[in-house]
């Protein structure tokens, strides 16, 4: 695990904590190009009343707006939870080169946990996926969040 990957994943975790603070599922994402953050996002489906307001989608929109291009070539996305099929599709369409994620998602993960969209050869853009960066910390924030939800009356 590269020091840079740990550094950026810690920043994604800070975004996840911000999402948790507003009672959203705590997932954070950021997009990096040439060692600089060009886009950030956190889950906000509930507050936005928008099922597409996942951290990855918001980070992609932010990064595309920053560089004024819908193609994010040469970029990596750091996300605290393995992306779902919707997010992997958006990542592939944006031409992001690498996904670095923390915790696996055994229910909707599309980087290998449930389905591996990167391995489908017919898709014309293939993104590299690396999982398990700060996996324990990224998984713990989600476990704690859902545990607190189950304890509320």
């Amino acid at each position: 695990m590269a020091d840079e990957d740990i550094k950026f994943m810690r920043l994604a975790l800070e975004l996840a904590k911000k999402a948790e603070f507003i009672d959203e599922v705590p997932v954070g994402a950021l997009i990096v190009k040439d060692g600089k953050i060009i886009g950030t996002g956190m889950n906000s489906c509930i507050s936005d009343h928008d099922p597409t307001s996942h951290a990855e989608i918001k980070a992609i929109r932010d990064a595309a707006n920053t560089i004024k291009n819908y193609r994010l070539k040469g970029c990596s996305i750091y996300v605290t939870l393995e992306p779902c099929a919707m997010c992997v599709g958006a990542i592939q369409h944006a031409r992001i080169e690498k996904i670095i994620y923390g915790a696996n998602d055994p229910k909707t993960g599309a980087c290998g946990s449930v389905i591996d969209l990167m391995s489908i050869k017919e898709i014309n853009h293939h993104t590299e996926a690396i999982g398990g960066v700060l996996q324990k910390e990224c998984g713990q924030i989600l476990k704690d969040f859902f545990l607190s939800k189950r304890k509320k009356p």
Side-chain angles (χ1 to χ4, degrees):
M1 194 173 338
D3 289 343
E4 186 175 76
D5 290 345
I6 293 169
K7 175 182 95 170
F8 288 126
M9 191 61 72
R10 287 198 191 288
L11 294 171
L13 270 166
E14 290 304 314
L15 291 165
K17 290 175 187 172
K18 287 182 180 181
E20 180 180 34
F21 183 75
I22 62 168
D23 211 27
E24 294 279 354
V25 176
V27 178
L30 51 91
I31 296 179
V32 175
K33 182 177 177 91
D34 300 325
K36 294 181 181 161
I37 298 169
I38 63 166
T40 62
M42 62 183 195
N43 273 9
S44 60
C45 297
I46 298 164
S47 54
D48 289 351
H49 311 291
D50 181 354
T52 69
S53 284
H54 287 200
E56 300 94 323
I57 301 296
K58 295 190 77 142
I60 288 168
R61 289 175 179 157
D62 190 32
N65 188 52
T66 297
I67 66 168
K68 304 296 182 220
N69 194 329
Y70 74 110
R71 296 287 193 221
L72 299 175
K73 290 184 177 230
C75 294
S76 296
I77 185 166
Y78 290 82
V79 59
T80 57
L81 180 64
E82 178 182 3
C84 69
M86 174 185 70
C87 292
V88 169
I91 289 164
Q92 289 175 319
H93 282 287
R95 303 300 193 258
I96 293 173
E97 291 181 11
K98 190 184 295 185
I99 301 167
I100 301 97
Y101 65 91
N104 293 335
D105 186 344
K107 294 187 179 196
T108 64
C111 295
S113 290
V114 175
I115 189 171
D116 186 356
L117 291 179
M118 270 65 71
S119 69
I120 300 172
K121 64 180 168 64
E122 291 82 8
I123 294 175
N124 69 338
H125 177 74
H126 292 90
T127 301
E128 178 185 1
I130 300 166
V133 176
L134 298 182
Q135 183 171 3
K136 184 177 178 187
E137 294 93 325
C138 291
Q140 194 62 52
I141 190 172
L142 288 158
K143 286 177 189 170
D144 293 346
F145 176 79
F146 288 112
L147 183 62
S148 74
K149 292 290 180 199
R150 286 190 288 276
K151 286 184 176 179
K152 285 185 180 176

